[in-house]
Amino acid sequence: MLRKLIASIRSSTRTTTFRVALAFAGLFAGFAVLLLGFLYATTVGRLGIQADQTARREMSDLGVIWSTQGIQGLNMEVIQRAARAEDTLYVLVRPNGTVLSGNIDAAPLDLSQVNRPDAKLPLDPQAVIANAFTYERVDEETGRLVKRRARGLFLAGPDGYGLFVARDLGPGVEAADQVARVIWLGGAGVLGFALIGGFLAARQAAGRVDE
């Protein structure tokens, strides 16, 4: 019985009807992948580029203040910017890793893995470490904690301090993720339906030939 069933399945999958259904399923799957790529390039990709550009501008400005005014001047500037910032994130950490100032709880990277520059060398604002991360913030509409995604840069100073500047990617990323999930689920459903429908149609055609 099992051998007959396996033989029937094999013969059905070799028919032109099943192959046509499989080809259409493959075309739809390819279209879904292209659509997802376009969606991410126009939303997540664009938001990521803008976030990187904003973080680099902020880091460049703060790096000048760090070099000219020292850690005290930098600390005062971080406090002022963090107080009025909405989607830009700042963290200034002490040499022991604790937070000196900023508007998030900690720098979202393993500080023990960061190579500290030589204390004899001047600060180099270009020697940054890029990092993408997820953090929690209070939603202004609901008042609840929500997870948000952001991208930022970390700069280690020769004095042992470290500065992290990041940019929130905004709610558009979450919307893009939801659309992507819908496309994946819809694509999987259509692919499965096409395979099952093609198999049943192939069996029916094979049955008519046998008759």
Side-chain angles (χ1 to χ4, degrees), residues 149-162:
R149 289 162 62 182
R151 293 173 62 90
L153 304 169
F154 181 81
L155 175 61
D159 52 5
Y161 287 84

Side-chain angles (χ1 to χ4, degrees), residues 155-179:
L155 175 61
D159 52 5
Y161 287 84
L163 175 64
F164 187 82
V165 179
R167 182 73 176 178
D168 190 305
L169 295 181
V173 174
E174 306 301 328
D177 287 341
Q178 292 178 2
V179 173

Side-chain angles (χ1 to χ4, degrees), residues 22-147:
L22 185 63
F24 274 106
L27 287 174
F28 184 84
F31 174 76
V33 171
L34 290 175
L35 182 60
L36 283 174
F38 175 77
L39 174 67
Y40 265 78
T42 55
T43 54
V44 179
R46 180 174 57 84
L47 291 172
I49 292 173
Q50 292 176 347
D52 290 343
Q53 291 174 344
T54 301
R56 288 189 180 278
R57 285 196 299 267
E58 289 288 303
M59 183 65 78
S60 178
D61 294 343
L62 292 172
V64 172
I65 296 173
W66 195 350
S67 299
T68 57
Q69 301 180 25
I71 197 63
Q72 296 300 325
L74 175 64
N75 184 40
M76 292 300 298
E77 185 65 24
V78 168
I79 291 173
Q80 293 176 10
R81 295 196 183 198
R84 62 176 183 264
E86 294 183 359
D87 294 324
T88 306
L89 312 173
Y90 303 90
V91 182
L92 179 59
V93 295
R94 299 183 179 91
N96 61 4
T98 59
V99 175
L100 178 59
S101 58
N103 53 4
I104 54 177
D105 296 335
L109 72 166
D110 187 358
L111 297 178
S112 64
Q113 301 299 318
V114 175
N115 293 324
R116 297 288 179 177
D118 193 326
K120 298 179 181 179
L121 298 177
L123 179 71
D124 182 9
Q126 301 301 319
V128 295
I129 301 172
N131 186 41
F133 63 100
T134 302
Y135 76 107
E136 290 186 342
R137 64 181 289 177
V138 177
D139 186 83
E140 296 180 357
E141 296 182 358
T142 63
R144 298 179 179 178
L145 282 176
V146 294
K147 288 186 177 181

